[in-house]
Amino acid sequence: MKLYFSPGACSLSPHITLREAGLEFDLEQVHLGTKKTKTGADFTQINPKGYVPALELDSGEVLTEGPAIVQYIADQRPESGLAPPAGTLQRYRLQEWLNFISTELHKQFGPLFGPKTEAQQKDAARATIGRRFDFVAQRLEGNSYLMGEQFTVADAYLFTVLTWTNFAGIDLSRWPALARFAERVGARPAVQAALKAEKAR
């Protein structure tokens, strides 16, 4: 398999998941401005949407969208516990978290990274994120991870989003449970390896 990624982007989530699952894979960096891969390929020919992540499967097919990719990876190693079995209520709970992180957290950061976004819009985005963080922090109280004590692909995604808070001017110390979560996940060997690999590219 080959993961197309950009350092600091949401592709960190499937990158972490691949390492947590112990799967073999290649990395191909994408410059999101030029839509070119590091080897010079036109990324829009690989993913017409033009953004990462994209996972090229052994069959040659390409899977896009982070929540779909991480579940695919988890299902290649069911014994990893990265996702509950398909069809169980717990699997739908996982999908509930992935959808929440994708739509209610991830997308709210967009205005904060836009160079032309007005200050008022950025303040509104931070306020929305703050309310969402209130909810997540409450759910994490007394739990190591979103689903309890088992690390799942949802935790890899939440950790990835939390890495953007410094750039976005959001102080995590307001949510001690989130700060502890970020520290806990950040210390995992697979997460450390993914971060190191992306910095080295």
Side-chain angles (χ1 to χ4, degrees):
M1 290 188 288
K2 181 188 289 186
L3 176 68
Y4 291 90
F5 82 102
S6 184
C10 57
S11 47
L12 177 61
S13 171
H15 187 178
I16 290 170
T17 303
L18 282 162
R19 292 182 183 276
E20 288 280 356
L23 294 168
E24 288 187 19
F25 64 98
D26 295 321
L27 283 172
E28 179 82 25
Q29 187 171 335
V30 178
H31 188 288
L32 296 178
T34 63
K35 307 298 182 190
K36 296 282 187 185
T37 72
K38 199 156 189 180
T39 59
D42 179 358
F43 183 60
T44 61
Q45 295 298 308
I46 297 157
N47 179 11
K49 298 170 185 172
Y51 54 75
V52 294
L55 184 68
E56 185 178 306
L57 309 182
D58 293 339
S59 64
E61 288 193 65
V62 175
L63 193 60
T64 63
E65 302 302 329
I69 292 171
V70 295
Q71 289 182 83
Y72 174 85
I73 294 167
D75 285 339
Q76 305 314 297
R77 286 281 191 277
E79 68 278 9
S80 68
L82 289 167
T88 63
L89 179 60
Q90 283 301 93
R91 182 59 170 254
Y92 296 114
R93 290 294 185 201
L94 177 74
Q95 292 170 351
E96 187 177 24
W97 273 118
L98 289 171
N99 284 332
F100 176 83
I101 297 165
S102 180
T103 61
E104 303 301 322
L105 290 178
H106 181 169
K107 281 301 171 188
Q108 301 299 330
F109 276 84
L112 300 178
F113 295 131
K116 295 180 181 177
T117 307
E118 295 180 5
Q120 190 176 359
Q121 289 175 289
K122 290 189 175 184
D123 289 343
R126 287 191 191 97
T128 299
I129 291 168
R131 290 192 295 274
R132 304 292 185 259
F133 277 181
D134 288 342
F135 169 76
V136 180
Q138 186 179 27
R139 296 297 294 269
L140 279 171
E141 285 293 347
N143 291 319
S144 297
Y145 303 109
L146 291 172
M147 301 279 289
E149 296 309 302
Q150 174 65 47
F151 179 88
T152 70
V153 296
D155 299 300
Y157 195 5
L158 176 60
F159 173 81
T160 297
V161 170
L162 293 178
T163 65
W164 303 336
T165 53
N166 283 340
F167 305 104
I170 298 172
D171 186 358
L172 269 189
S173 64
R174 178 178 153 190
W175 302 275
L178 285 182
R180 288 192 299 270
F181 170 87
E183 189 175 340
R184 184 180 305 117
V185 175
R188 293 177 70 88
V191 176
Q192 289 285 310
L195 292 169
K196 185 177 178 182
E198 294 198 3
K199 279 183 183 175
R201 299 266 158 173

